[in-house]
Amino acid sequence: KPYQREGLARAVVRRNFHLFWPCGAGKSLGALLWALAEPGPVVVVCRGIAREQWADSTVRAYSGVEPRIILPQSQRKPSEEPLSAYIARSLRLFALIGWDSLRDPACRAESLHVLLHGSNGALILDEIHTAKSARRTRRQAQPDGSVRYIEKDSRGAQVVKLSRAATRRLGLSGTPLADRPRDLWSPLDL
């Protein structure tokens, strides 16, 4: 569709971009093409229930890349391949993690920010309005009377760490347009 071509043309030439298209308009496919337009690892943060959909309907269906789904410890099978083995055998690193898994200690051990850092890594934040966290930091008084801001352990703080490590960032959402325009603040702030 013409608006999809126009959106992709604008996104590919930018390192950081928000893509607000309506539901069912092809945001995931557009994001996949954007991410694979340049070499480097890709990390997608999406709703937990959408991990399999992203893997099957988008990544496997439209690319030759085999994605790695990162699950919280409670959902992992004992026989699951470690991330280091996936990295060793993969030609193109492509990790999918749910928003709900960002605070899970086992997922943090996967060190996705290390995977992205310094490698032309791409970060896709699907349903970016999910990152809304008005308080990603807390104030801490210092002995000299000054104030220091300490990052809280929240989804928003974890996404900020991933964002800082990634060279390219793309935020996707369709929800705020028709349903909750006030939710536009969180993706734009992030």
Side-chain angles (χ1 to χ4, degrees):
K1 296 181 180 176
Y3 72 91
Q4 291 171 319
R5 276 196 299 274
E6 183 181 338
L8 280 175
R10 289 182 182 187
V12 168
V13 296
R14 290 173 172 81
R15 293 282 176 187
N16 307 300
F17 198 63
H18 286 314
L19 195 53
F20 294 99
W21 282 345
C23 297
K27 290 183 294 296
S28 299
L29 179 56
L32 175 70
L33 296 174
W34 171 84
L36 297 178
E38 291 186 29
V42 179
V43 173
V44 176
V45 181
C46 58
R47 290 180 20 231
I49 60 173
R51 287 183 298 239
E52 292 293 333
Q53 179 184 350
W54 254 95
D56 294 333
S57 302
T58 305
V59 181
R60 289 186 188 110
Y62 293 100
S63 75
V65 176
E66 181 57 36
R68 166 63 187 248
I69 297 175
I70 298 175
L71 298 170
Q73 188 66 42
S74 61
Q75 297 176 20
R76 292 184 183 191
K77 296 176 183 149
S79 61
E80 187 174 313
E81 174 187 48
L83 182 63
S84 57
Y86 168 78
I87 291 171
R89 71 171 173 78
S90 294
L91 298 176
R92 183 75 185 256
L93 304 176
F94 200 108
L96 295 161
I97 186 169
W99 285 99
D100 56 339
S101 302
L102 287 175
R103 294 184 62 211
D104 184 90
C107 294
R108 279 206 203 142
E110 302 286 2
S111 301
L112 292 173
H113 64 282
V114 173
L115 180 80
L116 289 171
H117 186 70
S119 61
N120 196 35
L123 176 66
I124 298 171
L125 301 170
D126 192 14
E127 303 294 348
I128 191 172
H129 60 275
T130 305
K132 60 184 164 192
S133 177
R135 294 181 183 90
R136 287 194 304 264
T137 59
R138 64 181 169 84
R139 294 168 51 119
Q140 184 182 59
Q142 301 299 300
D144 65 357
S146 63
V147 175
R148 191 173 94 175
Y149 290 89
I150 308 293
E151 283 191 351
K152 288 184 172 184
D153 184 22
S154 66
R155 268 194 304 213
Q158 295 304 317
V159 168
V160 167
K161 287 179 186 175
L162 285 174
S163 295
R164 288 180 181 149
T167 305
R168 301 180 296 137
R169 298 157 210 74
L170 179 65
L172 307 175
S173 184
T175 303
L177 295 179
D179 303 335
R180 297 186 303 269
R182 68 183 176 276
D183 284 354
L184 283 170
W185 170 251
S186 59
L188 296 175
D189 176 50
L190 179 64

